């Protein structure tokens, strides 16, 4: 019984998967309320699935890449659940979940690209050979700098939709944000094949927006 969630994108999404199918899923899009909405969303999917928290045998969490503040909410929560329940925590690249969902919603069966909004006029992105197979490491770049690499490829995700002049193959029928249902289904497949997972550690790919001001003086009590 897997409990999956992801807060690496503006979507706060959670799902319960019983190893065969998704039992419940809930997704809200709000880039500023990850901390406020995640636990109620988890409660909602557990209740809808008719599952008590202590019946969960594994936690699946999106590890990004994603902005610092939102991403850490999901990872800290996953670590807390895993520790409290004594169950493993399986890390999955957020872009992999979007790619898998795109394969379910579209007829993508060849190379394509997934891109999410990284802010600062950049995108988090990776290339895929098919919905289950990532062929490049996740990266963060300005869209113009990767135009040659993504030219002509089908593209999915909110980042691709923001820059259609670069991601010219945007698939409007594909999902824009993460789906915990897809994340859980992908993890279930990987578990069945005995594949390894990423550690439940954040893929930030760059320093957080919040920085200590230059010339900051530490004042110690006398």
């Amino acid at each position: 019984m897997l409990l999956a969630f992801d807060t690496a994108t503006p979507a706060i999404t959670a799902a319960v998967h019983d190893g065969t199918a998704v039992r419940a899923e809930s997704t809200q899009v709000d880039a500023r309320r990850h901390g406020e909405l995640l636990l109620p969303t988890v409660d909602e999917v557990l209740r809808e699935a008719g599952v008590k928290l202590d019946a969960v045998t594994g936690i699946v969490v999106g590890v990004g890449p994603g902005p610092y503040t939102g991403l850490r909410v999901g990872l800290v929560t996953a670590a807390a659940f895993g520790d409290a329940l004594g169950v493993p925590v399986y890390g999955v690249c957020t872009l992999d979940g979007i790619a898998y969902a795109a394969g379910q919603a579209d007829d993508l069966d060849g190379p394509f690209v997934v891109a999410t909004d990284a802010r600062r006029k950049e995108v988090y992105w990776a290339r895929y050979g098919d919905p289950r197979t990532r062929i490049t490491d996740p990266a963060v770049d300005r869209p113009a700098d990767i135009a040659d690499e993504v030219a002509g490829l089908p593209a999915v995700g909110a980042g691709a939709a923001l820059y259609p002049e670069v991601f010219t193959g945007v698939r409007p029928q594909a999902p824009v944000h993460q789906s915990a249902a897809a994340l859980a289904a992908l993890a279930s497949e990987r578990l069945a094949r005995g594949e390894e997972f990423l550690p439940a550690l954040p893929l930030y790919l760059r320093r957080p927006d919040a920085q200590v001001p230059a010339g900051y003086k530490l004042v110690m009590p006398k």
Side-chain angles (χ1 to χ4, degrees), residues 64-150:
Y68 178 79
T69 303
L71 180 54
R72 67 179 178 174
V73 170
L75 288 165
V76 169
T77 302
F81 279 160
D83 184 63
L85 298 172
V87 300
V89 179
Y90 305 109
V92 178
C93 175
T94 294
L95 301 178
D96 291 0
I98 298 173
Y100 186 88
Q104 294 179 317
D106 203 341
D107 58 355
L108 288 169
D109 57 5
F112 66 99
V113 61
V114 175
T116 60
D117 183 15
R119 305 173 187 172
R120 302 185 194 173
K121 299 182 179 179
E122 294 178 333
V123 293
Y124 297 117
W125 70 286
R127 288 181 59 172
Y128 288 78
D130 60 58
R132 292 174 173 82
T133 309
R134 178 163 41 83
I135 58 177
T136 66
D137 289 335
V140 58
D141 289 289
R142 289 183 176 273
D145 294 339
I146 58 172
D148 291 343
E149 296 182 65
V150 303

Side-chain angles (χ1 to χ4, degrees), residues 152-217:
L153 287 174
V156 302
L162 282 173
Y163 303 98
E165 70 282 3
V166 172
F167 298 94
T168 56
V170 172
R171 305 294 283 254
Q173 64 271 43
V176 174
H177 296 296
Q178 178 66 291
S179 158
L183 197 73
L186 176 60
S188 180
E189 287 188 11
R190 290 179 174 177
L191 281 168
R193 293 194 295 264
E195 296 182 13
E196 292 187 1
F197 286 80
L198 295 174
L201 299 173
L203 290 175
Y204 290 132
L205 301 188
R206 69 183 183 201
R207 295 178 64 83
D209 291 335
Q211 301 282 342
V212 175
Y216 176 80
K217 294 183 180 179

Side-chain angles (χ1 to χ4, degrees), residues 13-32:
T13 179
V16 173
H17 193 288
D18 64 9
T20 301
V22 175
R23 296 267 292 266
E25 178 191 20
S26 178
T27 300
Q28 300 180 68
V29 178
D30 191 327
R32 297 181 181 275

